[in-house]
Amino acid sequence: MKIRDDAGVWVDEEFETLDLGDPRRDRRAKELVKRFASRPAASIPGACEGWAESIAAYRFLGNEHIDWRDMMQPHWDRTTARMGQLPVVLCIADTTELNFNGQDIEGAGPLSYEAQVGMYLHATYAVTPDREPLGVMNAWMWAREPRDANGRRGGVKESARWIESYEIVAEQARALPDTRLVYVADREGDIAALMQRAQELGEPADWLMRSQHNRALKGEASLWETVHASEVLGHISFVLPGRSGQKAREVRQELRSQRVTLPGRAGVTLTCVEAYEVDAPAGVKPVIWRLVTNREAGDAHALIELVDWYRARWEIEMFFNVLKNACRVEALQLSQMERVEKALVLYMVVSWRIARLMRVGRTCPELDASLFFEPDEIHGAHVLCKKARPKKPPTLNQMIRMVGSLGGFLGRKSDGEPGAKTLWIGMQRVMDAVITIQILRDGYDTSV
């Protein structure tokens, strides 16, 4: 998959089919994406060039004739095209809160705590089994209604978003007969109605979810006690990344599996997989994952594959992290939910680009950097790093590490590879250098 990823070309390619009913709107949308991609952490005025462009950006986001779904459609189309080139695609679904406390946003609602104000974003994120992000497949954006005097909350039942997002994935699966789609979700997606709906549709897309419920089986048996009592079918070992003050460590799990049919009229048949850590360090809580899926998994190879696919769920957490902390969408200071939704569309595409760049740099480090960066971007990185321009383009990993170093990445042996934060900071510095290089090339009078 050869996809250029420079600030101008990748936007034009990603939004090639954009149609907002007026070519001027199309041009404005693309220009905003380019601005946001160049300065993802900046405010909207900070990303735009001058007051007039800022006013035009706010006017665009406030245009009532533009629907955010129409803005997102080109990226959905491109994501589908990327998916169609692969034998297996993981469709990871999850929800995140966007906290707008302290902002007066018309249409915002309560969050987990009633006193908090904001909105929710539920996205389905397509990645390869090797974790390369392919794009956002679909999205729900909504604000909760406040509870009434009886403590009840109106509006659409929120669990419906999981079922609807699976239905969209199933529709995509029918359109991509040569690609196996796997719907992946954490505990919140463990909904019997979703499994039943998938069964009704004939399960054109597989599903894999972390279990939230220890369901009752026939007799007095419970699901996970039954699975744990079965024989060990295999083992898996991997490095659990460090997070929340915990160091990275190696994890070794025993794998068990049972194929069961749940009691009830629907009679859903599923495979239950237990990945149970053994020999965990003293004082550390063992890593235990209990997964349910429609796929049959009768041997160690199939079980390892399912656990690896579930572990890829971390990619949507990274996507949300970039969206909220790199692009700082919770600080947009927009006055209406409709404006926030349109801005989120553009920032979601920018966040995918940042996350993809980071992941591809890790999984395909020897690729030619010129496949993803403009010559001026490569030149700018070398200038800022005080390195001589190479006779041939650097590898992708070399370029990624240069950009990361400009964002604070130290490059020590224990540091691994640059993360999203150092990359987005470094890319802002590179884009400033690109602007300077282009100004000097155009013969701007620097004596002024």
Side-chain angles (χ1 to χ4, degrees), residues 5-8 10 34-40 49 353 373-374 376-378 380-381 384 399 403 406 423-438:
D5 214 359
D6 57 82
W10 80 266
K34 293 173 186 177
R35 294 285 183 253
F36 294 167
S38 297
R39 297 177 178 273
E49 293 187 352
R353 187 234 184 184
F373 292 92
E374 271 284 289
D376 284 347
E377 292 174 338
I378 296 174
L384 292 175
M399 181 65 182
V403 173
L406 297 171
L423 280 179
W424 82 65
I425 294 173
M427 276 306 298
Q428 289 180 81
R429 293 192 61 194
V430 168
M431 293 312 300
D432 287 339
V434 168
I435 292 170
T436 303
I437 290 169
Q438 292 172 347

Side-chain angles (χ1 to χ4, degrees), residues 138-191:
N138 61 71
W140 264 43
M141 293 188 275
W142 80 99
R144 283 177 171 170
E145 295 183 11
R147 296 186 186 277
D148 61 21
N150 297 316
R152 292 189 293 266
R153 197 188 304 281
V156 178
K157 191 175 181 181
E158 291 184 1
S159 61
R161 70 189 186 274
W162 295 96
I163 299 172
E164 181 176 300
S165 61
Y166 174 81
E167 290 173 339
I168 294 173
V169 171
E171 184 178 342
Q172 291 273 50
R174 291 194 182 94
L176 300 171
D178 296 326
T179 302
R180 177 182 291 276
L181 303 190
V182 184
Y183 184 78
V184 182
D186 212 8
R187 290 186 181 95
E188 199 175 353
D190 181 12
I191 302 170

Side-chain angles (χ1 to χ4, degrees), residues 239-257:
V239 175
L240 187 70
R243 63 187 71 170
S244 302
Q246 297 180 353
K247 293 183 178 180
R249 65 183 182 88
E250 186 173 1
V251 171
R252 184 171 181 270
Q253 293 175 319
E254 295 177 338
L255 302 178
R256 297 176 175 85
S257 173

Side-chain angles (χ1 to χ4, degrees), residues 8-247:
V9 174
W10 80 266
V11 172
D12 291 334
E13 289 182 346
E14 200 66 22
F15 288 88
E16 183 180 6
T17 60
L18 182 65
D19 184 4
L20 301 178
D22 187 323
R24 293 171 296 182
R25 296 174 188 169
D26 300 342
R27 287 194 296 271
R28 178 59 58 191
K30 293 177 184 178
E31 195 59 39
L32 278 177
V33 179
K34 293 173 186 177
R35 294 285 183 253
F36 294 167
S38 297
R39 297 177 178 273
S43 64
I44 291 176
C48 293
E49 293 187 352
W51 182 243
E53 190 171 276
S54 299
I55 291 297
Y58 285 118
R59 189 180 297 119
F60 173 85
L61 296 174
N63 191 324
E64 296 179 355
H65 300 291
I66 298 175
D67 188 282
W68 71 264
R69 296 165 189 83
D70 295 330
M71 295 171 59
M72 198 75 179
Q73 190 62 52
H75 176 67
W76 287 337
D77 293 340
R78 294 285 294 184
T79 299
T80 300
R82 287 186 282 266
M83 292 163 59
Q85 299 178 42
L86 300 163
V88 177
V89 172
L90 308 181
C91 309
I92 308 171
D94 203 2
T95 306
T96 191
E97 287 185 345
L98 299 178
N99 192 325
F100 299 143
N101 266 349
Q103 301 180 48
D104 186 14
I105 299 179
E106 180 183 336
L111 299 176
S112 299
Y113 298 99
E114 209 70 14
Q116 294 177 320
V117 177
M119 65 177 288
Y120 287 87
L121 168 63
H122 180 83
T124 306
Y125 193 52
V127 305
T128 70
D130 290 331
R131 304 193 185 187
E132 178 187 340
L134 302 173
V136 180
M137 291 181 63
N138 61 71
W140 264 43
M141 293 188 275
W142 80 99
R144 283 177 171 170
E145 295 183 11
R147 296 186 186 277
D148 61 21
N150 297 316
R152 292 189 293 266
R153 197 188 304 281
V156 178
K157 191 175 181 181
E158 291 184 1
S159 61
R161 70 189 186 274
W162 295 96
I163 299 172
E164 181 176 300
S165 61
Y166 174 81
E167 290 173 339
I168 294 173
V169 171
E171 184 178 342
Q172 291 273 50
R174 291 194 182 94
L176 300 171
D178 296 326
T179 302
R180 177 182 291 276
L181 303 190
V182 184
Y183 184 78
V184 182
D186 212 8
R187 290 186 181 95
E188 199 175 353
D190 181 12
I191 302 170
L194 189 158
M195 302 176 193
Q196 292 167 8
R197 181 58 178 152
Q199 186 171 269
E200 290 170 4
L201 294 172
E203 294 177 330
D206 291 324
W207 48 268
L208 171 67
M209 295 171 288
R210 189 170 179 182
S211 176
Q212 180 175 210
H213 308 291
N214 189 12
R215 294 177 170 87
L217 303 178
K218 291 181 180 179
E220 298 182 357
S222 57
L223 178 59
W224 292 111
E225 282 71 15
T226 300
V227 175
H228 189 69
S230 64
E231 65 176 313
V232 175
L233 298 178
H235 295 83
I236 186 173
S237 297
F238 56 88
V239 175
L240 187 70
R243 63 187 71 170
S244 302
Q246 297 180 353
K247 293 183 178 180

Side-chain angles (χ1 to χ4, degrees), residues 356-407:
R356 176 177 176 270
L357 194 61
M358 179 184 69
R359 179 56 66 187
V360 171
R362 292 181 178 181
T363 57
C364 306
E366 298 305 315
L367 283 176
D368 189 329
S370 64
L371 294 174
F372 300 89
F373 292 92
E374 271 284 289
D376 284 347
E377 292 174 338
I378 296 174
H379 184 191
H382 281 86
V383 169
L384 292 175
C385 291
K386 299 180 180 178
K387 292 185 177 182
R389 292 179 67 178
K391 294 181 180 179
K392 61 179 183 178
T395 66
L396 179 57
N397 185 256
Q398 288 170 337
M399 181 65 182
I400 290 287
R401 291 177 76 88
M402 277 195 294
V403 173
S405 71
L406 297 171

